[in-house]
Amino acid sequence: MSPLLLCFAAMAAAAAPRLAAAGWPLRAPRLAVLLWLALSGATAGSLALAGLSLALYWDRTHDVVNGAWHVCLDALRGRHGSLGQAVAVAGLLSVVLLAGRLLISAIRMLGAQRARRAQLRLLVRVAAVPGTVPGATVVHHHEPAAYLMPGRHRTGADIIITSAAVDRLGADELSAVLAHERAHHTGRHYAITHWMRLLAQAFPWMRCFRLGRRQVDRLVELCADEHAARSSSRLDVARALVSMAQPSSGSPYGGLLAVHGGDSMERLQRLLTPPPPLSRAARALLGVAAAVLLLAPMALATLDRYAGWLPHLLPL
């Protein structure tokens, strides 16, 4: 079973470059984000189950209904021979390695997020300008920028916008920027990008996770643009993007419409020349592909365990 899961993980990882080079995500960015999440989850899940299968075994002394996964302590103690012990130890070490890398990366990421949140709160307390923008906190800064400060309360997150952005944007453009940032919150884009960043940081040698991080950062910006264009015109969103990207006088860099920014030229072109949407059949096919990716690792593990019982269930 481990070779099957490892092969599936390799196949899923090998599909990442093809997905990154595909053109259809521009036509359905939300669906593309879902497929990237499924692909990363399938790869990570297959690797974890492959290691787990080496350290666990199916107790054949129980029937199918009462059988369960058991930790292979006998194999770890060497009661099934040196080969069985080596396999069980390798499986256990691989599971510990995967879990440990994820845990360490998660702790580091949480620490960085808390530090970032504390910096933003300090910035708001020190540089906040009496509010003239409903639904946002204005801070005094010479660079045009707008971003979210995730909150722990149920009502959502605060939108932070600089005074330079307020001065530079017209009323319609400002509404487009706020709609863009609200889309990041309602779409839970921070949770999605943090998951992809966690995998990329925990396993930097895996190209599929590095590609997934970059592509998801890019795609969530397209999703937020698309959402903003529903309440504001595409032209207003495009104008806001151009205004926010222009550098201030004497500044070597410009502000970004959102925290991650994405590819500004790609976003601008998509806003001004919207690509045709995918057909229902294509959307359904991609949705099925995402579901298969998510379910396949567990299905392979379950099938292998039940397949071992088939000879005992079939009549002689």
Side-chain angles (χ1 to χ4, degrees), residues 146-262:
Y147 45 87
L148 283 176
M149 184 172 67
R152 297 181 179 180
H153 45 82
R154 294 183 179 181
T155 56
D158 296 329
I159 298 175
I160 311 297
I161 190 166
T162 63
S163 56
V166 176
D167 294 338
R168 179 172 290 184
L169 298 171
D172 293 337
E173 296 168 2
L174 182 58
S175 296
V177 170
L178 297 179
H180 178 102
E181 297 306 323
R182 284 193 294 269
H184 280 315
H185 170 62
T186 57
R188 300 183 180 275
H189 293 167
Y190 275 99
I192 294 171
T193 55
H194 287 165
W195 163 249
M196 299 304 299
R197 285 167 181 262
L198 175 62
L199 290 178
Q201 290 180 17
F203 311 107
W205 59 84
M206 296 195 65
R207 187 187 178 196
C208 62
F209 294 150
R210 299 197 308 270
L211 283 174
R213 172 184 172 176
R214 291 195 296 268
Q215 291 298 313
V216 169
D217 281 353
R218 159 193 169 230
L219 290 167
V220 294
E221 295 301 330
L222 300 181
C223 292
D225 286 342
E226 193 173 78
H227 186 275
R230 296 174 186 170
S231 57
S232 303
S233 70
R234 286 184 172 271
L235 186 58
D236 287 333
V237 180
R239 286 173 175 168
L241 175 59
V242 172
S243 297
M244 297 286 279
Q246 290 176 349
S248 298
S249 176
S251 174
Y253 58 92
L256 296 174
L257 183 60
V259 175
H260 305 301

Side-chain angles (χ1 to χ4, degrees), residues 257-270:
L257 183 60
V259 175
H260 305 301
D263 188 331
S264 296
M265 291 302 298
E266 179 183 63
R267 293 168 60 189
L268 185 61
Q269 183 178 2
R270 188 174 184 273

